[in-house]
Amino acid sequence: MANYRITVIPGDGIGPEVVDSALKLLGEVQEQFGFTLDYVTYDFSADLYRRTGRKITAADMDEIGKSDAVLFGAMGLPDVRDEEGLELGAQVEMRAHYKLFASLRPVKLFKGVPNAVRAENIDMLVIRETSEGMFAGLHDKHEPSDVEATDRMTITRATCETLFAEAFDQARSRRKRGTPGRVTLLHKSNALRSNVLMEKVFDEVAAKNTDIDSSKYYIDAGSMYMVTDPGRFDVIVSENIFGDITSEIAAGLVGGLGVAPSADVSRTHGVFQPSHGSAPDIACTGKANPTAMILSAAMMLDWLGEKREDEALVCAARSINSAVQEVLATGPRSADLGGNASTGEVTDAVLRALQASASIPAGS
């Protein structure tokens, strides 16, 4: 029986609640598919920082890096800031430490989920670069001022080559399950020197992957097309802050952040978390939608299964996705999706669907 070590960081607000939901589903698929996950839990919450001044360190991340993957809830509290006035976020530190160059953010319009645009088929993957771009200068020396403040955007050839290779690989993989197999770059090379280099490298990588269609739009026009014609997109790839914004637009197309999972990955490390924040205003009320966290756990299994060539993990991920899709179609649904079900009720419904699928004979 294959065994994997998983680091769990519940975080703040609704983070611990939705992580508990994901762990319930992961417990079920371990029984069904015959593998084990050993959890090591860490508290690097903003609340811990407020109480003790303790936050994640390089030594902590070295130890966490020995795990096979990281399952991350949500982190940050609006009233807890560091010395420079920024919200705490261990995930930002981990992106830099592990060189997690890409955030994979799939969005899919599920049957039964209300959406705000006139489109019946939305199925795209937004890939956000996470190691540089507008966040490159996050640790630059900064003198506090009420008169002027600057941020640095840096784009490097090496990161672009790795990022775009991942985008084309993802498009190739997605095409096998029926998507068009197309990569679109959203950029701003008409106004930003850094994006001139990004566009140039994209063209070079596209020329080496001619089996996959490619296209490019300026970020402003591309954002409009995401709303007016989302069906034209399969894989979208963009700079750090542009990708952050467009991934939220994409989530809005399919019902919101409550159904939007994500994975921050390198070739060797993966951190899996919902795209939503900690939502402290609804913490401990039972109103949190656990779907994005559950789907993020499924992404973890799929990623780990591909890396370790373990088909049991891939099949487990597929079963969780199918169970989520069934519950979204029939209910119960959480408040953000127009229902009134609690976090626990949605979780239990997905668990029942997962258990029911295991009892159906093969070939039925």
Side-chain angles (χ1 to χ4, degrees), residues 5 7 42 56 58-70 94 97-98 268-271 308:
R5 178 182 175 183
T7 287
Y42 292 87
I56 198 166
D60 294 326
M61 290 184 282
D62 286 341
E63 183 60 30
I64 291 170
K66 298 174 184 177
S67 298
D68 293 292
V70 177
M94 288 191 289
H97 191 82
Y98 303 132
T268 56
H269 290 80
V271 178
R308 301 292 190 271

Side-chain angles (χ1 to χ4, degrees), residues 145-292:
S145 170
D146 289 332
V147 177
E148 181 180 80
T150 62
D151 291 289
R152 171 167 62 89
M153 177 183 282
T154 297
I155 299 294
T156 66
R157 169 175 286 276
T159 295
C160 284
E161 289 175 343
T162 306
L163 178 73
F164 297 147
E166 177 71 21
F168 281 92
D169 284 347
Q170 289 288 334
R172 200 170 283 113
S173 177
R174 285 168 56 82
R175 187 171 60 185
K176 291 178 182 178
R177 65 172 181 79
T179 71
R182 179 186 306 113
V183 179
T184 301
L185 172 68
L186 299 184
H187 65 102
K188 195 63 177 172
S189 68
N190 60 327
L192 299 172
R193 289 185 295 270
S194 59
N195 280 222
V196 173
L197 174 61
M198 174 174 269
E199 183 184 18
K200 178 181 180 181
V201 178
F202 179 81
D203 289 341
E204 293 172 1
V205 176
K208 297 176 183 177
N209 292 272
T210 54
D211 61 311
I212 299 295
D213 291 339
S214 64
S215 58
K216 301 177 295 184
Y217 300 113
Y218 292 140
I219 183 65
D220 41 1
S223 296
M224 179 193 68
Y225 292 142
M226 288 181 71
V227 176
T228 60
D229 185 19
R232 74 169 65 195
F233 296 110
D234 183 9
V235 174
I236 294 173
V237 64
S238 196
E239 177 273 333
N240 202 330
I241 202 163
F242 292 160
D244 192 15
I245 295 168
T246 53
S247 65
E248 305 259 332
I249 295 172
L253 300 177
V254 297
L257 294 173
V259 293
S262 78
D264 291 351
V265 301
S266 69
R267 298 298 188 191
T268 56
H269 290 80
V271 178
F272 300 83
Q273 66 181 104
S275 293
H276 62 67
S278 61
D281 56 319
I282 61 168
C284 302
T285 65
K287 294 180 180 179
N289 184 352
T291 303

